[in-house]
Amino acid sequence: MSPALQLALLGATLVLPRAQALTCQRATREFLINVSEMPLRWKADHEVCANGWGCQDTLILIDNGLQVNIVLTKGCTPVGNQDARITEHRAGPGLSVLSYTHVCRQEDNCNNLSTTLPLWALPSTAGPGSLRCPVCLSKQDCESVTKMTCPAGSTHCYRGSIQLRGGGVFTVLRVQGCMSQEGCNVLNGTREIGSIVVSEDCSPNAFLTCEWGSELHTGRNLSRMPIRWTTAHKICDPGEVCEETLLLVDAGQSSVIVESKGCTKGRTQDAPTVSIHSGPPGVLVASYAHFCSSNRCNRARSTSVLLNSLPRPAAPTPGDLQCPICVQGSTPCPENPENVTCPNGTTHCYSGYIRLYGGGIISKIHIQGCVTEASSSLLNHTQKIGIFSVAENSEEPLEPFLQDGAVPTRLLAWVVGLGLSLALWCGMPLC
Ligand SMILES: *[C@@H]1O[C@H](CO)[C@@H](O)[C@H](O)[C@H]1NC(C)=O
Ligand SMILES: *[C@@H]1O[C@H](CO)[C@@H](O)[C@H](O)[C@H]1NC(C)=O
Ligand SMILES: *[C@@H]1O[C@H](CO)[C@@H](O)[C@H](O)[C@H]1NC(C)=O
Ligand SMILES: *[C@@H]1O[C@H](CO)[C@@H](O)[C@H](O)[C@H]1NC(C)=O
Ligand SMILES: *[C@@H]1O[C@H](CO)[C@@H](O)[C@H](O)[C@H]1NC(C)=O
Ligand SMILES: *[C@@H]1O[C@H](CO)[C@@H](O)[C@H](O)[C@H]1NC(C)=O
Ligand SMILES: *[C@@H]1O[C@H](CO)[C@@H](O)[C@H](O)[C@H]1NC(C)=O
């Protein structure tokens, strides 16, 4: 090879570092709007890039004729220059997918696309046809959808989900609309658009989204006063279902409730189930468990899903027995707690603990209270409660119901969210 040719090749493959770092426009935005609100404009921040990096713009429009989903990401990128380009991944009639991509280095803020206009100017002039299809664009579920007369040339109704991932974007869009083709192929084979990886799935549980998060609450009245149960959400891995589990331990003056929501493998759907593991009278241990497989189906909003199903005996008459009473997460009960008069019908004092593992929880709940039998086991050898593996007064290793190897990261996440109740948590693996 001649030295001149070698040089030319080198020149073609190297991105020569600029003397100074570029400043680029930066933004990550998503809009789901009415067609009537188009075209759309936006503002961007700025960021200073690493030496040699360029500025990128990626804009994706998914349009069903009534609504448009707009995904925008711009910022610094190590990728080589690419001319500004508009691509029609899926032309209409009906659903269409359009994108604009650009990577530049010629001057600061050269990734300056600020409106959908260059894409929206594309004509769409088909008259009405005879087919009618449900049309929907939604980040939740397409539950009640509008039916629309499709533009001429449409032959099929489409129903699927599109995932967009990368460049700070992580979205699943439920899509329904008119198509001129059969099949699950609204993306027409597209895998990547600029900095965003796109994928499509038309199965009913595509990119299942579940509510997600775990917490442990300590309080006086948790079996009577419902508390809010809200969480973040996440997209599950293939084959997973959604779960929600509550475990309540109430000894009278003292109670703990543990909440978990998330994705889990190896379970089938299971209608909501309330179980009373022990009491009343005496220490009440009760749980709520629900496994389901549609988007954000684990959406119980408060602990009343459990509390409303608890037995409500008439105000207990006091008995003769006195016992120390205490329920708390992680830290053992104090050595000489005050004694409390037990309800009539209880005959013994209980002192022990329940260990929990799974659904993002690793904890030990310490319990003292009144019970009805000398040999009382609060769980009666139950080993699974919803998503939790449980053991009572035993240090045997707990098999998690897992799912994800992600318990440590999830723990971290609640620790951040927990603030004051942090002290209730034990550290890692054994409490
Ligand atoms: C679009 O917006 C108009 C006015 O804001 C509203 O009446 C109409 O229902 C919207 N259509 C859709 C499909 O959201
Ligand atoms: C599908 O993509 C190809 C190029 O990849 C393009 O030529 C064709 O027009 C697209 N089909 C539709 C219906 O948009
Ligand atoms: C956007 O950037 C290009 C290239 O740097 C420049 O030629 C153009 O004038 C800019 N447009 C606006 C509206 O700033
Ligand atoms: C506990 O709940 C009961 C019934 O709702 C109420 O009468 C009582 O005042 C509550 N106690 C506390 C400490 O909140
Ligand atoms: C509480 O009652 C137990 C017996 O049920 C007794 O052994 C203990 O001393 C009592 N504790 C206090 C602080 O009164
Ligand atoms: C306590 O319960 C027993 C039966 O368990 C009953 O015979 C007795 O009357 C009850 N005492 C009070 C004060 O309610
Ligand atoms: C404990 O479990 C056994 C078998 O699982 C059952 O026969 C028994 O009735 C249970 N006891 C209580 C108090 O629920």
Side-chain angles (χ1 to χ4, degrees):
M1 199 187 290
S2 78
L5 183 55
Q6 273 182 343
L7 254 177
L9 282 174
L10 266 177
T13 50
L14 279 181
V15 174
L16 295 171
R18 287 164 44 100
Q20 250 186 321
L22 268 180
T23 297
C24 297
Q25 290 195 348
R26 181 183 62 181
T28 301
R29 309 284 295 276
E30 291 180 61
F31 311 90
L32 180 52
I33 61 168
N34 224 316
V35 164
S36 61
E37 298 168 64
M38 291 286 276
L40 192 77
R41 293 177 187 284
W42 52 82
K43 290 204 159 58
D45 296 333
H46 301 273
E47 66 180 337
V48 177
C49 304
N51 266 332
W53 286 36
C55 301
Q56 67 90 19
D57 252 324
T58 303
L59 174 70
I60 304 174
L61 298 192
I62 300 174
D63 169 18
N64 70 5
L66 292 182
Q67 300 153 283
V68 189
N69 189 75
I70 300 166
V71 171
L72 162 76
T73 149
K74 48 170 72 210
C76 300
T77 179
V79 170
N81 287 347
Q82 291 165 10
D83 289 340
R85 178 174 166 162
I86 293 173
T87 311
E88 209 171 10
H89 304 275
R90 160 70 54 190
L95 289 165
S96 69
V97 180
L98 293 170
S99 74
Y100 171 96
T101 51
H102 186 206
V103 179
C104 56
R105 286 176 171 78
Q106 74 269 34
E107 61 179 354
D108 285 345
N109 299 314
C110 54
N111 61 336
N112 58 8
L113 184 71
S114 61
T115 161
T116 55
L117 257 171
L119 284 78
W120 200 244
L122 291 169
S124 128
T125 51
S130 53
L131 185 69
R132 280 174 70 79
C133 288
V135 276
C136 169
L137 282 181
S138 170
K139 293 190 180 185
Q140 313 271 311
D141 266 327
C142 288
E143 270 159 2
S144 60
V145 296
T146 337
K147 271 206 163 189
M148 183 180 95
T149 300
C150 294
S154 308
T155 52
H156 291 84
C157 295
Y158 172 92
R159 176 184 194 141
S161 301
I162 295 176
Q163 180 178 270
L164 304 114
R165 199 169 185 167
V169 172
F170 191 2
T171 292
V172 171
L173 192 66
R174 315 291 167 187
V175 181
Q176 292 188 43
C178 312
M179 283 263 278
S180 54
Q181 259 183 13
E182 202 180 357
C184 186
N185 192 20
V186 86
L187 292 177
N188 190 15
T190 309
R191 299 254 168 78
E192 236 178 281
I193 302 175
S195 53
I196 297 178
V197 174
V198 293
S199 51
E200 180 177 11
D201 186 339
C202 299
S203 62
N205 294 340
F207 310 120
L208 180 70
T209 310
C210 299
E211 306 221 336
W212 174 74
S214 316
E215 267 186 69
L216 181 151
H217 300 270
T218 306
R220 279 180 70 81
N221 239 352
L222 296 173
S223 66
R224 291 185 174 272
M225 310 232 290
I227 53 176
R228 270 159 55 91
W229 189 12
T230 54
T231 55
H233 62 275
K234 70 177 279 193
I235 298 169
C236 302
D237 291 333
E240 293 188 324
V241 299
C242 302
E243 66 81 17
E244 54 188 354
T245 305
L246 288 176
L247 176 64
L248 168 73
V249 180
D250 187 347
Q253 276 75 2
S254 175
S255 51
V256 159
I257 198 158
V258 189
E259 310 171 333
S260 163
K261 292 190 190 217
C263 306
T264 182
K265 270 201 171 50
R267 286 297 299 238
T268 48
Q269 232 165 280
D270 245 329
T273 308
V274 168
S275 310
I276 312 292
H277 305 279
S278 68
V283 176
L284 173 69
V285 179
S287 64
Y288 166 90
H290 180 205
F291 294 87
C292 57
S293 60
S294 60
N295 285 302
R296 301 180 84 160
C297 56
N298 56 341
R299 67 175 72 132
R301 284 281 159 264
S302 92
T303 58
S304 60
V305 288
L306 172 59
L307 306 197
N308 290 348
S309 304
L310 295 179
R312 293 265 173 245
T317 47
D320 307 324
L321 184 66
Q322 293 230 320
C323 292
I325 292 218
C326 159
V327 179
Q328 56 189 42
S330 297
T331 43
C333 293
E335 276 195 17
N336 271 314
E338 240 178 279
N339 280 339
V340 163
T341 302
C342 292
N344 189 24
T346 57
T347 52
H348 291 83
C349 298
Y350 176 95
S351 177
Y353 60 85
I354 294 175
R355 284 168 55 236
L356 289 185
Y357 186 21
I361 297 281
I362 303 173
S363 192
K364 189 173 195 172
I365 301 172
H366 299 268
I367 305 163
Q368 294 186 355
C370 317
V371 290
T372 52
E373 284 173 55
S375 61
S376 259
S377 146
L378 298 176
L379 295 182
N380 194 17
H381 310 294
T382 301
Q383 288 176 323
K384 300 283 182 202
I385 295 180
I387 192 69
F388 303 133
S389 296
V390 294
E392 181 177 2
N393 301 325
S394 150
E395 291 298 328
E396 81 202 36
L398 290 175
E399 290 292 321
F401 224 133
L402 294 182
Q403 137 204 7
D404 48 40
V407 166
T409 20
R410 296 179 68 179
L411 264 178
L412 216 68
W414 321 307
V415 164
V416 170
L418 267 173
L420 282 178
S421 29
L422 190 64
L424 299 172
W425 287 87
C426 51
M428 292 300 292
L430 291 173
C431 298

